[in-house]
Amino acid sequence: MSCQKHPNHDHDHGPGCGHTAVEHDGHVDYLHDGHLHHPHGDHVDEHVIEVSDTNPDRCTPDHRCDGHEPGHVHGPGCGHEPVPHGDHIDYLVDGHLHHPHGDHCDDHGPLKVLT
């Protein structure tokens, strides 16, 4: 797998850096301004949660979650961290990925938060 470098990144990600750490594909990534960052040597790689059996990309109109009120609208400043998933953005809510879809949120599977 080749590196997908995040250009001009001067922040050092690691324990206590202030960004949410998540488990992804056997390593630790950090949620940072809508990106999934992985420290790699002298640079930071851009990662994406892959669409998979664990993190599917499907409509789940019957999904109910206590992580927010019914009618909550995900987007910039909504209080939930954006997470790149496949070719779209989901939001981290109570350990799983929410995808806004019409009048409901789809459940796109778990994401283990480490910090």
Side-chain angles (χ1 to χ4, degrees):
M1 175 190 259
S2 64
C3 292
Q4 299 296 319
K5 293 181 182 178
H6 181 87
N8 305 320
H9 193 275
D10 58 2
H11 174 78
D12 290 328
H13 288 294
C17 76
H19 295 106
T20 301
V22 297
E23 185 177 297
H24 171 232
D25 203 21
H27 61 265
V28 177
D29 285 340
Y30 295 88
L31 296 175
H32 184 184
D33 295 336
H35 299 267
L36 192 61
H37 286 171
H38 178 70
H40 186 216
D42 64 349
H43 64 275
V44 172
D45 289 340
E46 290 276 356
H47 283 185
V48 172
I49 303 298
E50 299 80 11
V51 173
S52 65
D53 289 342
T54 301
N55 295 108
D57 180 7
R58 65 174 178 244
C59 181
T60 59
D62 295 328
H63 174 64
R64 299 295 173 255
C65 176
D66 294 331
H68 59 69
E69 297 295 320
H72 174 80
V73 177
H74 289 297
C78 77
H80 299 105
E81 293 197 72
V83 180
H85 176 221
D87 64 356
H88 61 275
I89 296 293
D90 287 343
Y91 293 87
L92 181 60
V93 179
D94 287 348
H96 65 283
L97 300 177
H98 272 204
H99 181 71
H101 186 209
D103 65 351
H104 65 277
C105 289
D106 294 333
D107 180 0
H108 282 185
L111 185 61
K112 185 175 181 182
V113 176
L114 303 174
T115 57

